[in-house]
Amino acid sequence: MDNVYQHFRKDEQLFIDSVVDWVRQVEEQYTPYLSPFLDPRQQFIVESIAGQNSEITLHSFGGYEDAERKKIFLAPSYFEPEQNEYAITICEINYPVKFAILSHGNILGSLTGSGINRGNLGDIITDGENWQVFVDKPMMPFLLSQIDSIGKIKVHLEEKMYTDIILPKDKWENRSIIVSSLRIDVVLASAFNLSRQKSKELIASNKVKVNWNETSRPDTTLGIFDVISIRGFGRLKLKSIEGKTRKEKIRLELDVLDRNQ
């Protein structure tokens, strides 16, 4: 197991253990295993570990074509899942649009604060006015019965059909940048044209999350498919490490969602 751990961060070891258990379960029982919703970095870890096993195939779906968070079926080669087998449904949040403003952060905070695990929730999307959440279908009755407010805003949740999916307004831009290291403060400064000091201040003030978890360490090393969100600025995904320049700097490919553009 140590030789698996060495390719990932120390804080990812518990998740790696889970993935190894999923693989073992499929091998021993010769039946498919459906993961919870996973962020892009977790999907990368699953593919890195299970993808080495020729007896296992991977299938993923997050509720719509461009989903960021997805469930993954680890399965024997005979299994080809239907869409309904991913057990994903759509929850629309109805609220007084003219008098209130919702955000990704307060929706997620209210849902997880009610006791729902993050793994039961997929993407939270908006078209600028309407909001929808992709949810693990068995959790939908709990949501409908327990959630009547987001923060101080009264809401009414409603299950929707796939034909009612809204068109997200977020537009990601592909960018290539060159950095001196994979430290989070260095990458943020370059991606959003900030000073290194400003980048550190944002991290220290708890405005930065890596894969939806707050970080206070500017020396955190980023990896492939990490998703970093910066309150008030936007988000970025580290898509690939393209290599080094002649001056030993690192060339990165990012997807950037810049809220200030």
Side-chain angles (χ1 to χ4, degrees):
M1 182 62 71
D2 288 342
N3 62 339
V4 175
Y5 290 151
Q6 69 181 349
H7 299 293
F8 304 100
R9 293 191 292 264
K10 188 173 183 179
D11 63 359
E12 294 172 330
Q13 290 184 1
L14 284 177
F15 179 71
I16 290 167
D17 290 342
S18 296
V19 176
V20 171
D21 284 342
W22 300 344
V23 170
R24 185 177 298 118
Q25 181 174 323
V26 175
E27 287 178 327
E28 293 177 353
Q29 300 181 13
Y30 204 60
T31 55
Y33 179 88
L34 179 61
S35 78
F37 282 103
L38 306 176
D39 64 48
R41 175 66 179 179
Q42 291 172 323
Q43 294 167 41
F44 171 70
I45 293 174
V46 172
E47 291 165 3
S48 298
I49 295 173
Q52 305 300 315
N53 191 317
S54 60
E55 302 298 316
I56 293 178
T57 56
L58 301 177
H59 310 270
S60 62
F61 183 60
Y64 67 112
E65 184 177 354
D66 296 323
E68 190 170 81
R69 293 176 59 81
K70 298 178 181 179
K71 292 185 176 186
I72 294 182
F73 261 116
L74 294 82
S77 58
Y78 72 84
F79 182 75
E80 188 71 35
E82 300 289 337
Q83 181 173 305
N84 67 303
E85 292 181 276
Y86 286 92
I88 297 173
T89 192
I90 303 162
C91 176
E92 184 158 293
I93 303 172
N94 299 301
Y95 69 105
V97 175
K98 293 184 179 179
F99 307 104
I101 297 175
L102 294 180
S103 70
H104 184 285
N106 59 28
I107 292 172
L108 180 59
S110 294
L111 296 182
T112 55
S114 72
I116 293 196
N117 187 283
R118 188 66 177 100
N120 294 127
L121 303 172
D123 285 6
I124 300 172
I125 61 173
T126 182
D127 59 6
E129 182 175 286
N130 302 292
W131 288 86
Q132 293 178 342
V133 186
F134 292 86
V135 180
D136 190 26
K137 193 170 182 62
M139 294 303 299
M140 195 64 194
F142 176 84
L143 274 181
L144 295 177
S145 65
Q146 295 297 315
I147 302 295
D148 58 9
S149 65
I150 302 292
K152 296 181 179 180
I153 302 169
K154 289 293 182 182
V155 301
H156 170 69
L157 304 188
E158 182 181 1
E159 187 169 9
K160 288 288 187 177
M161 304 289 290
Y162 274 99
T163 52
D164 297 321
I165 293 176
I166 60 178
L167 183 65
K169 71 169 186 176
D170 290 342
K171 297 296 182 183
W172 292 83
E173 175 191 348
N174 185 263
R175 294 184 193 171
S176 292
I177 63 172
I178 295 174
V179 293
S180 58
S181 79
L182 291 172
R183 283 174 52 121
I184 188 171
D185 59 336
V186 174
V187 175
L188 290 188
S190 180
F192 290 100
N193 197 26
L194 306 171
S195 68
R196 183 87 172 270
Q197 183 58 37
K198 177 63 175 178
S199 178
K200 288 183 176 179
E201 289 172 1
L202 289 169
I203 295 167
S205 57
N206 298 319
K207 292 183 178 179
V208 176
K209 294 182 179 181
V210 178
N211 300 324
W212 293 270
N213 297 306
E214 283 187 1
T215 181
S216 59
R217 293 180 59 95
D219 61 347
T220 297
T221 300
L222 299 178
I224 299 293
F225 293 111
D226 274 336
V227 177
I228 302 92
S229 55
I230 311 93
R231 194 185 314 158
F233 287 85
R235 289 194 293 164
L236 66 85
K237 304 174 192 175
L238 202 171
K239 287 189 67 176
S240 65
I241 300 173
E242 299 291 288
K244 290 189 176 182
T245 67
R246 291 180 180 178
K247 295 183 178 180
E248 290 298 301
K249 292 196 173 183
I250 306 167
R251 186 179 291 105
L252 304 179
E253 183 184 0
L254 309 176
D255 278 340
V256 180
L257 180 63
D258 194 334
R259 300 295 188 190
N260 295 316
Q261 286 193 344

